[in-house]
Amino acid sequence: MPATSLEQIVSLAKRRGFVFPSSALYGGLGSTWDYGPLGVELKNNVKRAWWRSVVHERDDMEGLDAAILMNRLVWKYSGHEATFSDPMTDCRSCKARHRADQLFKARFDRDPESLDAINAAIDAKEIKCPKCGSNELTHARPFNLMFKTMVGPVDTGEDSGLAYLRPETAQGIFVNFGNVLDTMRRKLPFGIAQIGKAFRNEITPGNFTFRTREFEQMEIEYFVRPGEDEAAHQAWIDTRTKWYADLGLRRENLRQREQEKHELAHYAKRCVDLEYRFPMGWSELEGIANRTDFDLKAHSRSPENPDAVGELRYFDQEQKKHIVPYVIEPSAGADRATLAFLCDGYDESLVKEPPTEETAKLRELVESFGRSVEKRDAKVLEPAVKERLLAAAEKIAAGLPGTLPDLLALSDDAEANRIEVFKKVRGTAEKLGEEHTRTVLRLHPRLAPVTVAVFPLKKNEPRLVELGRAIKKDLQVAGLRSVYDDTGAIGKLYRRQDEIGTPFCITVDFQSLDDRTVTVRDRDTMGQERVGLGELGGALRSKVA
Ligand code: GAP
């Protein structure tokens, strides 16, 4: 079963070195995260898998790495200065700031048609502040999401040095269309891919790394003849869906959602969102838009754009004339994809039934926690939180010991931890969990931060240690990310590697010294086989390829 709450992932990520809150030493900075030793490996693997699939394995793609800082005029003519905004509203009572379109959607279960529709609902007091419940909200107004910065040593307070941290990597591709076309002698259709940081001053970031102000995009602009755009668009939708599924996302957690007319960006003719069923619900992983010829025209010299020095167009040999290609844009987030792989790969299950009396004791504690929640008034627990905790307590108590993994997930819930008796529940659950549950990250071998871990059966046996270290070194040279570990008993070491998603563990034992074979243990089947050292690198590489 994939993760049922983001807390499970946040807790694992922090505990095992995937993701840490940024600048925690100084109290942190809201919604910014640092990828730790395992997180950087995982995210790099996601980016590498994407690059390999969309650049190296195709004949119609080139790569690019454009600068983050660009001439401000790029953002003027792309339309971002005028329109890249979200509607924002303030609560007059508690002063919290919210995305007004999200409050509207939560209330009416549909997107607002316009700013006026949101404001009509605010006037009718139909929308409430989710923080304090007040319906005294200010009218929604557009809030531009681009971060401003100054270029050059002098801040004159004027706009002369003004630049933006790019809010998407796409524009770097559009303004380089002519450079790539000329230098690589490309014919239509062809595309340009880029991975890089993007920045948005989101009004309501949140859900861990799902929505942050600094993030990484993996974007493609694919240029086609007008008229060939619709077929190319559909082909990219299918290709990109398959990429996620091939790397392990369960099909039932992946869907394509056609954007409705009123959702479409001003440049888009059609857009399909690839969505993943995150623990907080279906949410966008990647948007695949048909941007028509909007961008190449917008950045070409014309009466509407006297600042551009040239035209972004293509000489079509067949028609013997210049045309402006249409653009298909599969735009993915590296952080969101990484989070989706973590959620989908997460698996915590009961592997051994605890003794009946221990289960009964835990059930009693959970029921007492439920009673304690029941007693709290709205000042202490928001009604929605109270309802959620009560439902969780009831479901867990009824299903123990099978619901032990759900209880362990609840252990990371900040609201549950505010109830005194929960400390006791948590302590007991964690002790039982340690012995009776198994946490495994079922990541695709190509994505796992560590591909293979090597253990000696005994750490005080120099010949085993020496051979183990040598095997680790050889595998590393063979291009497999490997680690050596002798800091615990084999069972404990397996457990540790399962939790971070290592697909293969190798144990070096006394037989290895005699016949040059080792035990290879598979994370998912837990099956073990003896493999000769001569075949080891090749056998493992074939499973990762
Ligand atoms: N060039 C088109 C474009 O930028 P988008 O839908 O705004 O389209 C594309 O962004 C992808 O970038 C999203 O599907 C998501 O994966 C990622 N993304 C966007 N905003 C994000 C944020 N605040 N935090 C993390 N990822 C984000």
Side-chain angles (χ1 to χ4, degrees), residues 80 84 167-171 174 200 202 205 209-219 221 244 259 267 273-274 284-287 291 329 331-337:
H80 283 77
F84 194 60
E168 61 171 16
T169 66
Q171 299 302 323
F174 293 128
R200 296 182 190 175
E202 299 279 1
T209 53
F210 179 82
R211 191 181 305 284
T212 50
R213 297 192 171 108
E214 172 181 344
F215 54 97
E216 232 171 332
Q217 289 188 310
M218 308 188 289
E219 295 202 291
E221 306 301 333
Y244 289 105
Q259 280 196 7
Y267 51 73
D273 285 346
L274 301 187
E284 177 186 334
L285 255 187
E286 167 163 352
R291 292 180 77 124
E329 181 194 62
S331 174
D335 307 271
R336 275 195 201 172

Side-chain angles (χ1 to χ4, degrees), residues 288-492:
I288 307 175
N290 181 342
R291 292 180 77 124
T292 70
D293 54 6
F294 177 87
D295 304 274
L296 295 184
K297 273 190 174 156
H299 289 304
S300 291
R301 193 172 177 85
S302 70
E304 290 77 41
N305 183 350
D307 291 312
V309 296
E311 286 181 53
L312 297 176
R313 53 188 193 163
Y314 172 85
F315 187 75
D316 191 349
Q317 294 288 355
E318 283 169 27
Q319 300 181 53
K320 298 278 179 265
K321 64 172 191 181
H322 281 102
I323 60 167
V324 182
Y326 266 38
V327 179
I328 306 302
E329 181 194 62
S331 174
D335 307 271
R336 275 195 201 172
T338 302
L339 183 60
F341 288 120
L342 276 174
C343 291
D344 218 76
Y346 188 90
D347 183 9
E348 186 160 20
S349 54
L350 196 69
V351 284
K352 204 164 75 175
E353 288 259 326
T356 326
E357 58 285 13
E358 296 203 28
T359 305
K361 189 174 139 207
L362 185 60
R363 184 176 300 111
E364 240 168 66
L365 279 171
V366 175
E367 284 167 355
S368 137
F369 164 68
R371 286 192 295 277
S372 193
V373 169
E374 182 84 74
K375 280 192 214 138
R376 308 288 147 142
D377 62 23
K379 272 194 224 122
V380 184
L381 273 188
E382 278 178 31
V385 176
K386 185 169 173 175
E387 204 176 302
R388 179 171 64 77
L389 293 182
L390 276 177
E394 197 174 310
K395 180 179 158 224
I396 290 166
L400 280 172
T403 48
L404 185 56
D406 301 272
L407 183 54
L408 292 168
L410 198 66
S411 298
D412 299 312
D413 189 303
E415 300 291 350
N417 279 287
R418 286 174 52 206
I419 311 287
E420 191 55 30
V421 65
F422 193 71
K423 290 199 184 82
K424 226 168 171 187
V425 178
R426 206 178 72 190
T428 312
E430 280 174 357
K431 198 159 156 280
L432 276 189
E434 183 69 10
E435 281 173 52
H436 302 278
T437 64
R438 174 176 180 240
T439 304
V440 189
L441 260 189
R442 300 190 190 279
L443 295 170
H444 189 287
R446 207 183 293 160
L447 299 184
V450 174
T451 312
V452 47
V454 184
F455 318 134
L457 187 65
K458 288 196 158 154
K459 73 170 174 184
N460 49 7
E461 177 54 64
R463 289 177 306 158
L464 297 185
V465 170
E466 196 184 321
L467 182 57
R469 287 194 184 280
I471 292 171
K472 185 260 167 193
K473 216 168 187 178
D474 287 349
L475 292 174
Q476 198 70 62
V477 171
L480 295 160
R481 169 84 175 125
S482 318
V483 295
Y484 169 87
D485 194 355
D486 61 9
T487 58
I490 297 294
K492 191 162 180 190

Side-chain angles (χ1 to χ4, degrees), residues 17-55:
F18 282 89
V19 180
F20 307 120
S22 173
S23 17
L25 202 56
Y26 292 100
L29 174 67
S31 296
T32 53
W33 303 93
D34 297 338
Y35 285 82
L38 297 182
V40 66
E41 298 290 344
L42 172 60
K43 189 163 135 183
N44 279 346
N45 288 344
V46 170
K47 291 189 283 184
R48 243 192 303 271
W50 182 87
W51 192 265
R52 173 172 148 178
S53 142
V54 306
V55 182

